mmCIF file of all heavy atoms in Angstrom:
data_model
loop_
_atom_site.group_PDB
_atom_site.id
_atom_site.type_symbol
_atom_site.label_atom_id
_atom_site.label_comp_id
_atom_site.label_asym_id
_atom_site.label_seq_id
_atom_site.Cartn_x
_atom_site.Cartn_y
_atom_site.Cartn_z
ATOM 1 N N LYS A 1 -24.173 -15.014 -1.676
ATOM 2 C CA LYS A 1 -22.921 -14.308 -1.457
ATOM 3 C C LYS A 1 -22.772 -13.001 -2.245
ATOM 4 O O LYS A 1 -21.749 -12.738 -2.892
ATOM 5 C CB LYS A 1 -21.738 -15.172 -1.659
ATOM 6 C CG LYS A 1 -21.609 -16.336 -0.611
ATOM 7 C CD LYS A 1 -20.232 -17.045 -0.779
ATOM 8 C CE LYS A 1 -20.206 -18.160 0.331
ATOM 9 N NZ LYS A 1 -18.854 -18.930 0.240
ATOM 10 N N HIS A 2 -23.840 -12.252 -2.203
ATOM 11 C CA HIS A 2 -23.917 -10.958 -2.900
ATOM 12 C C HIS A 2 -22.852 -10.066 -2.315
ATOM 13 O O HIS A 2 -22.580 -10.118 -1.111
ATOM 14 C CB HIS A 2 -25.324 -10.366 -2.769
ATOM 15 C CG HIS A 2 -25.486 -9.207 -3.726
ATOM 16 N ND1 HIS A 2 -25.211 -7.842 -3.278
ATOM 17 C CD2 HIS A 2 -25.983 -9.105 -4.954
ATOM 18 C CE1 HIS A 2 -25.513 -7.070 -4.301
ATOM 19 N NE2 HIS A 2 -25.983 -7.781 -5.291
ATOM 20 N N GLU A 3 -22.244 -9.263 -3.124
ATOM 21 C CA GLU A 3 -21.155 -8.433 -2.711
ATOM 22 C C GLU A 3 -21.573 -7.543 -1.484
ATOM 23 O O GLU A 3 -20.761 -7.351 -0.564
ATOM 24 C CB GLU A 3 -20.667 -7.565 -3.884
ATOM 25 C CG GLU A 3 -19.436 -6.614 -3.494
ATOM 26 C CD GLU A 3 -19.013 -5.789 -4.686
ATOM 27 O OE1 GLU A 3 -19.463 -6.023 -5.792
ATOM 28 O OE2 GLU A 3 -18.082 -4.939 -4.490
ATOM 29 N N ALA A 4 -22.715 -6.970 -1.546
ATOM 30 C CA ALA A 4 -23.158 -6.095 -0.463
ATOM 31 C C ALA A 4 -23.329 -6.884 0.858
ATOM 32 O O ALA A 4 -22.997 -6.378 1.957
ATOM 33 C CB ALA A 4 -24.505 -5.470 -0.822
ATOM 34 N N SER A 5 -23.817 -8.137 0.703
ATOM 35 C CA SER A 5 -23.939 -8.961 1.924
ATOM 36 C C SER A 5 -22.591 -9.271 2.551
ATOM 37 O O SER A 5 -22.381 -9.258 3.725
ATOM 38 C CB SER A 5 -24.771 -10.211 1.580
ATOM 39 O OG SER A 5 -25.995 -9.905 1.067
ATOM 40 N N LEU A 6 -21.607 -9.689 1.698
ATOM 41 C CA LEU A 6 -20.253 -10.014 2.091
ATOM 42 C C LEU A 6 -19.707 -8.795 2.788
ATOM 43 O O LEU A 6 -18.940 -8.889 3.783
ATOM 44 C CB LEU A 6 -19.436 -10.489 0.996
ATOM 45 C CG LEU A 6 -19.670 -11.980 0.625
ATOM 46 C CD1 LEU A 6 -18.810 -12.290 -0.713
ATOM 47 C CD2 LEU A 6 -19.226 -12.939 1.646
ATOM 48 N N LYS A 7 -19.957 -7.644 2.195
ATOM 49 C CA LYS A 7 -19.330 -6.450 2.793
ATOM 50 C C LYS A 7 -19.886 -6.199 4.142
ATOM 51 O O LYS A 7 -19.138 -5.687 5.083
ATOM 52 C CB LYS A 7 -19.604 -5.238 1.842
ATOM 53 C CG LYS A 7 -18.897 -3.946 2.203
ATOM 54 C CD LYS A 7 -19.153 -2.863 1.169
ATOM 55 C CE LYS A 7 -18.397 -1.537 1.555
ATOM 56 N NZ LYS A 7 -18.604 -0.515 0.567
ATOM 57 N N GLN A 8 -21.239 -6.320 4.372
ATOM 58 C CA GLN A 8 -21.842 -6.139 5.641
ATOM 59 C C GLN A 8 -21.273 -7.134 6.642
ATOM 60 O O GLN A 8 -21.134 -6.880 7.860
ATOM 61 C CB GLN A 8 -23.283 -6.162 5.532
ATOM 62 C CG GLN A 8 -24.111 -5.950 6.773
ATOM 63 C CD GLN A 8 -23.924 -4.590 7.399
ATOM 64 O OE1 GLN A 8 -23.582 -3.709 6.636
ATOM 65 N NE2 GLN A 8 -24.017 -4.478 8.666
ATOM 66 N N ALA A 9 -21.139 -8.425 6.239
ATOM 67 C CA ALA A 9 -20.653 -9.427 7.089
ATOM 68 C C ALA A 9 -19.217 -9.108 7.547
ATOM 69 O O ALA A 9 -18.825 -9.302 8.684
ATOM 70 C CB ALA A 9 -20.724 -10.787 6.398
ATOM 71 N N ASP A 10 -18.408 -8.618 6.636
ATOM 72 C CA ASP A 10 -17.030 -8.294 7.009
ATOM 73 C C ASP A 10 -16.946 -7.040 7.928
ATOM 74 O O ASP A 10 -16.094 -6.959 8.756
ATOM 75 C CB ASP A 10 -16.244 -8.006 5.662
ATOM 76 C CG ASP A 10 -14.758 -8.089 5.975
ATOM 77 O OD1 ASP A 10 -14.245 -9.121 6.333
ATOM 78 O OD2 ASP A 10 -14.049 -6.942 5.800
ATOM 79 N N LYS A 11 -17.971 -6.168 7.712
ATOM 80 C CA LYS A 11 -17.999 -5.021 8.692
ATOM 81 C C LYS A 11 -18.297 -5.460 10.117
ATOM 82 O O LYS A 11 -17.719 -4.936 11.059
ATOM 83 C CB LYS A 11 -19.121 -4.038 8.193
ATOM 84 C CG LYS A 11 -19.207 -2.799 9.032
ATOM 85 C CD LYS A 11 -20.340 -1.884 8.507
ATOM 86 C CE LYS A 11 -20.534 -0.629 9.337
ATOM 87 N NZ LYS A 11 -21.597 0.251 8.833
ATOM 88 N N GLU A 12 -19.090 -6.508 10.231
ATOM 89 C CA GLU A 12 -19.397 -7.029 11.572
ATOM 90 C C GLU A 12 -18.191 -7.779 12.065
ATOM 91 O O GLU A 12 -17.835 -7.819 13.235
ATOM 92 C CB GLU A 12 -20.654 -7.939 11.539
ATOM 93 C CG GLU A 12 -21.939 -7.188 11.214
ATOM 94 C CD GLU A 12 -23.160 -8.003 11.317
ATOM 95 O OE1 GLU A 12 -23.006 -9.239 11.688
ATOM 96 O OE2 GLU A 12 -24.293 -7.517 11.054
ATOM 97 N N ARG A 13 -17.456 -8.459 11.206
ATOM 98 C CA ARG A 13 -16.251 -9.144 11.565
ATOM 99 C C ARG A 13 -15.232 -8.124 12.134
ATOM 100 O O ARG A 13 -14.581 -8.393 13.150
ATOM 101 C CB ARG A 13 -15.606 -9.914 10.339
ATOM 102 C CG ARG A 13 -14.429 -10.740 10.610
ATOM 103 C CD ARG A 13 -13.063 -10.022 10.521
ATOM 104 N NE ARG A 13 -12.965 -9.210 9.319
ATOM 105 C CZ ARG A 13 -12.042 -8.309 9.120
ATOM 106 N NH1 ARG A 13 -11.165 -8.042 10.089
ATOM 107 N NH2 ARG A 13 -12.026 -7.614 7.990
ATOM 108 N N LEU A 14 -15.130 -7.008 11.506
ATOM 109 C CA LEU A 14 -14.096 -5.972 11.894
ATOM 110 C C LEU A 14 -14.524 -5.367 13.282
ATOM 111 O O LEU A 14 -13.713 -5.171 14.135
ATOM 112 C CB LEU A 14 -14.118 -4.867 10.916
ATOM 113 C CG LEU A 14 -13.214 -3.667 11.274
ATOM 114 C CD1 LEU A 14 -11.786 -4.126 11.499
ATOM 115 C CD2 LEU A 14 -13.226 -2.636 10.115
ATOM 116 N N ALA A 15 -15.863 -5.294 13.459
ATOM 117 C CA ALA A 15 -16.321 -4.751 14.794
ATOM 118 C C ALA A 15 -16.019 -5.719 15.854
ATOM 119 O O ALA A 15 -15.519 -5.288 17.018
ATOM 120 C CB ALA A 15 -17.872 -4.612 14.711
ATOM 121 N N GLU A 16 -16.069 -6.991 15.642
ATOM 122 C CA GLU A 16 -15.687 -7.958 16.660
ATOM 123 C C GLU A 16 -14.235 -7.923 16.926
ATOM 124 O O GLU A 16 -13.701 -8.067 18.009
ATOM 125 C CB GLU A 16 -16.149 -9.422 16.224
ATOM 126 C CG GLU A 16 -15.645 -10.559 17.113
ATOM 127 C CD GLU A 16 -16.270 -10.441 18.554
ATOM 128 O OE1 GLU A 16 -17.202 -9.765 18.784
ATOM 129 O OE2 GLU A 16 -15.619 -11.064 19.412
ATOM 130 N N ASP A 17 -13.413 -7.768 15.800
ATOM 131 C CA ASP A 17 -11.899 -7.746 15.931
ATOM 132 C C ASP A 17 -11.481 -6.510 16.727
ATOM 133 O O ASP A 17 -10.523 -6.562 17.476
ATOM 134 C CB ASP A 17 -11.326 -7.722 14.563
ATOM 135 C CG ASP A 17 -11.347 -9.039 13.851
ATOM 136 O OD1 ASP A 17 -11.849 -9.954 14.495
ATOM 137 O OD2 ASP A 17 -10.988 -9.102 12.692
ATOM 138 N N LEU A 18 -12.263 -5.412 16.604
ATOM 139 C CA LEU A 18 -11.957 -4.171 17.362
ATOM 140 C C LEU A 18 -12.259 -4.417 18.910
ATOM 141 O O LEU A 18 -11.455 -3.916 19.694
ATOM 142 C CB LEU A 18 -12.813 -3.048 16.880
ATOM 143 C CG LEU A 18 -12.366 -2.469 15.486
ATOM 144 C CD1 LEU A 18 -13.445 -1.441 14.986
ATOM 145 C CD2 LEU A 18 -10.950 -1.722 15.630
ATOM 146 N N ARG A 19 -13.294 -5.179 19.195
ATOM 147 C CA ARG A 19 -13.531 -5.467 20.593
ATOM 148 C C ARG A 19 -12.336 -6.339 21.143
ATOM 149 O O ARG A 19 -11.909 -6.225 22.261
ATOM 150 C CB ARG A 19 -14.830 -6.148 20.716
ATOM 151 C CG ARG A 19 -16.047 -5.230 20.589
ATOM 152 C CD ARG A 19 -17.362 -5.927 20.885
ATOM 153 N NE ARG A 19 -17.770 -6.873 19.868
ATOM 154 C CZ ARG A 19 -18.597 -6.528 18.832
ATOM 155 N NH1 ARG A 19 -19.010 -5.351 18.756
ATOM 156 N NH2 ARG A 19 -18.919 -7.455 17.935
ATOM 157 N N LEU A 20 -11.908 -7.314 20.364
ATOM 158 C CA LEU A 20 -10.827 -8.233 20.782
ATOM 159 C C LEU A 20 -9.525 -7.452 20.900
ATOM 160 O O LEU A 20 -8.739 -7.754 21.864
ATOM 161 C CB LEU A 20 -10.685 -9.360 19.830
ATOM 162 C CG LEU A 20 -11.662 -10.535 19.912
ATOM 163 C CD1 LEU A 20 -11.404 -11.547 18.918
ATOM 164 C CD2 LEU A 20 -11.571 -11.111 21.347
ATOM 165 N N ILE A 21 -9.226 -6.499 20.050
ATOM 166 C CA ILE A 21 -7.950 -5.830 20.141
ATOM 167 C C ILE A 21 -7.978 -4.968 21.382
ATOM 168 O O ILE A 21 -6.844 -4.777 21.959
ATOM 169 C CB ILE A 21 -7.681 -4.975 18.894
ATOM 170 C CG1 ILE A 21 -6.175 -4.616 18.750
ATOM 171 C CG2 ILE A 21 -8.529 -3.710 18.834
ATOM 172 C CD1 ILE A 21 -5.303 -5.798 18.609
ATOM 173 N N TYR A 22 -9.082 -4.496 21.775
ATOM 174 C CA TYR A 22 -9.160 -3.726 23.073
ATOM 175 C C TYR A 22 -8.789 -4.612 24.196
ATOM 176 O O TYR A 22 -8.018 -4.226 25.147
ATOM 177 C CB TYR A 22 -10.599 -3.130 23.257
ATOM 178 C CG TYR A 22 -10.756 -2.565 24.581
ATOM 179 C CD1 TYR A 22 -10.231 -1.236 24.920
ATOM 180 C CD2 TYR A 22 -11.419 -3.239 25.663
ATOM 181 C CE1 TYR A 22 -10.426 -0.749 26.219
ATOM 182 C CE2 TYR A 22 -11.554 -2.781 26.934
ATOM 183 C CZ TYR A 22 -11.009 -1.445 27.219
ATOM 184 O OH TYR A 22 -11.179 -0.960 28.430
ATOM 185 N N VAL A 23 -9.286 -5.839 24.214
ATOM 186 C CA VAL A 23 -8.922 -6.798 25.217
ATOM 187 C C VAL A 23 -7.418 -7.069 25.186
ATOM 188 O O VAL A 23 -6.784 -7.089 26.238
ATOM 189 C CB VAL A 23 -9.725 -8.110 25.073
ATOM 190 C CG1 VAL A 23 -9.215 -9.199 25.942
ATOM 191 C CG2 VAL A 23 -11.186 -7.910 25.218
ATOM 192 N N ALA A 24 -6.939 -7.305 24.050
ATOM 193 C CA ALA A 24 -5.450 -7.672 23.898
ATOM 194 C C ALA A 24 -4.577 -6.536 24.405
ATOM 195 O O ALA A 24 -3.530 -6.787 25.108
ATOM 196 C CB ALA A 24 -5.113 -7.960 22.441
ATOM 197 N N LEU A 25 -4.941 -5.278 24.032
ATOM 198 C CA LEU A 25 -3.997 -4.147 24.377
ATOM 199 C C LEU A 25 -4.085 -3.811 25.861
ATOM 200 O O LEU A 25 -3.238 -3.011 26.350
ATOM 201 C CB LEU A 25 -4.425 -2.957 23.500
ATOM 202 C CG LEU A 25 -4.137 -3.105 21.969
ATOM 203 C CD1 LEU A 25 -4.766 -1.898 21.254
ATOM 204 C CD2 LEU A 25 -2.642 -3.111 21.722
ATOM 205 N N THR A 26 -5.112 -4.239 26.564
ATOM 206 C CA THR A 26 -5.198 -3.880 27.983
ATOM 207 C C THR A 26 -4.883 -4.953 28.961
ATOM 208 O O THR A 26 -5.221 -4.964 30.098
ATOM 209 C CB THR A 26 -6.700 -3.373 28.229
ATOM 210 O OG1 THR A 26 -7.613 -4.465 27.864
ATOM 211 C CG2 THR A 26 -6.973 -2.100 27.472
ATOM 212 N N ARG A 27 -4.177 -6.050 28.416
ATOM 213 C CA ARG A 27 -3.835 -7.119 29.389
ATOM 214 C C ARG A 27 -2.475 -6.920 30.105
ATOM 215 O O ARG A 27 -2.219 -7.528 31.057
ATOM 216 C CB ARG A 27 -3.725 -8.427 28.536
ATOM 217 C CG ARG A 27 -4.936 -8.965 27.957
ATOM 218 C CD ARG A 27 -6.155 -9.107 28.889
ATOM 219 N NE ARG A 27 -6.965 -7.865 28.887
ATOM 220 C CZ ARG A 27 -7.822 -7.480 29.790
ATOM 221 N NH1 ARG A 27 -7.844 -8.172 30.909
ATOM 222 N NH2 ARG A 27 -8.463 -6.341 29.651
ATOM 223 N N ALA A 28 -1.564 -6.059 29.514
ATOM 224 C CA ALA A 28 -0.211 -5.842 30.001
ATOM 225 C C ALA A 28 -0.237 -4.941 31.264
ATOM 226 O O ALA A 28 -0.906 -3.953 31.372
ATOM 227 C CB ALA A 28 0.657 -5.259 28.916
ATOM 228 N N VAL A 29 0.687 -5.340 32.174
ATOM 229 C CA VAL A 29 0.828 -4.460 33.390
ATOM 230 C C VAL A 29 2.024 -3.481 33.151
ATOM 231 O O VAL A 29 1.871 -2.263 33.395
ATOM 232 C CB VAL A 29 1.191 -5.339 34.645
ATOM 233 C CG1 VAL A 29 1.468 -4.473 35.820
ATOM 234 C CG2 VAL A 29 0.083 -6.319 34.972
ATOM 235 N N TYR A 30 3.074 -3.955 32.537
ATOM 236 C CA TYR A 30 4.274 -3.197 32.390
ATOM 237 C C TYR A 30 4.572 -2.755 30.915
ATOM 238 O O TYR A 30 5.137 -1.707 30.646
ATOM 239 C CB TYR A 30 5.538 -3.815 33.012
ATOM 240 C CG TYR A 30 5.363 -4.008 34.554
ATOM 241 C CD1 TYR A 30 5.261 -5.279 35.032
ATOM 242 C CD2 TYR A 30 5.359 -2.909 35.413
ATOM 243 C CE1 TYR A 30 5.140 -5.475 36.364
ATOM 244 C CE2 TYR A 30 5.161 -3.083 36.762
ATOM 245 C CZ TYR A 30 5.083 -4.377 37.220
ATOM 246 O OH TYR A 30 4.947 -4.549 38.593
ATOM 247 N N GLY A 31 4.402 -3.733 30.069
ATOM 248 C CA GLY A 31 4.747 -3.483 28.674
ATOM 249 C C GLY A 31 3.969 -4.349 27.647
ATOM 250 O O GLY A 31 3.714 -5.540 27.967
ATOM 251 N N CYS A 32 3.613 -3.776 26.492
ATOM 252 C CA CYS A 32 2.917 -4.517 25.460
ATOM 253 C C CYS A 32 3.724 -4.365 24.187
ATOM 254 O O CYS A 32 3.991 -3.194 23.680
ATOM 255 C CB CYS A 32 1.486 -3.956 25.355
ATOM 256 S SG CYS A 32 0.493 -4.813 24.023
ATOM 257 N N PHE A 33 4.035 -5.482 23.567
ATOM 258 C CA PHE A 33 4.881 -5.489 22.415
ATOM 259 C C PHE A 33 3.969 -5.883 21.177
ATOM 260 O O PHE A 33 3.429 -7.058 21.197
ATOM 261 C CB PHE A 33 6.136 -6.383 22.500
ATOM 262 C CG PHE A 33 7.032 -5.966 23.598
ATOM 263 C CD1 PHE A 33 6.732 -6.274 24.938
ATOM 264 C CD2 PHE A 33 8.140 -5.225 23.320
ATOM 265 C CE1 PHE A 33 7.594 -5.908 25.967
ATOM 266 C CE2 PHE A 33 9.038 -4.846 24.358
ATOM 267 C CZ PHE A 33 8.676 -5.228 25.697
ATOM 268 N N ILE A 34 3.854 -5.040 20.122
ATOM 269 C CA ILE A 34 3.055 -5.292 19.078
ATOM 270 C C ILE A 34 3.819 -5.504 17.775
ATOM 271 O O ILE A 34 4.624 -4.748 17.418
ATOM 272 C CB ILE A 34 2.043 -4.137 18.792
ATOM 273 C CG1 ILE A 34 1.269 -3.815 20.070
ATOM 274 C CG2 ILE A 34 1.073 -4.418 17.604
ATOM 275 C CD1 ILE A 34 0.443 -2.512 20.000
ATOM 276 N N GLY A 35 3.681 -6.674 17.193
ATOM 277 C CA GLY A 35 4.279 -6.903 15.827
ATOM 278 C C GLY A 35 3.570 -6.236 14.778
ATOM 279 O O GLY A 35 2.368 -6.473 14.564
#
């Protein structure tokens, strides 16, 4: 669990989260409410 390795793994986690947020934001027909 070297710091550089954890940082790279978290970067990939963020990339996956960005793909998911695109899915979430494009599901609404009339309105999308974000907390």
Side-chain angles (χ1 to χ4, degrees):
K1 294 188 176 182
H2 191 271
E3 183 179 353
S5 300
L6 282 171
K7 187 175 180 180
Q8 180 62 27
D10 195 62
K11 183 179 178 181
E12 294 186 4
R13 185 272 311 167
L14 177 59
E16 174 62 20
D17 287 354
L18 286 168
R19 285 188 287 270
L20 279 178
I21 198 63
Y22 171 79
V23 172
L25 293 171
T26 55
R27 297 308 94 201
V29 178
Y30 299 111
C32 181
F33 298 81
I34 304 168

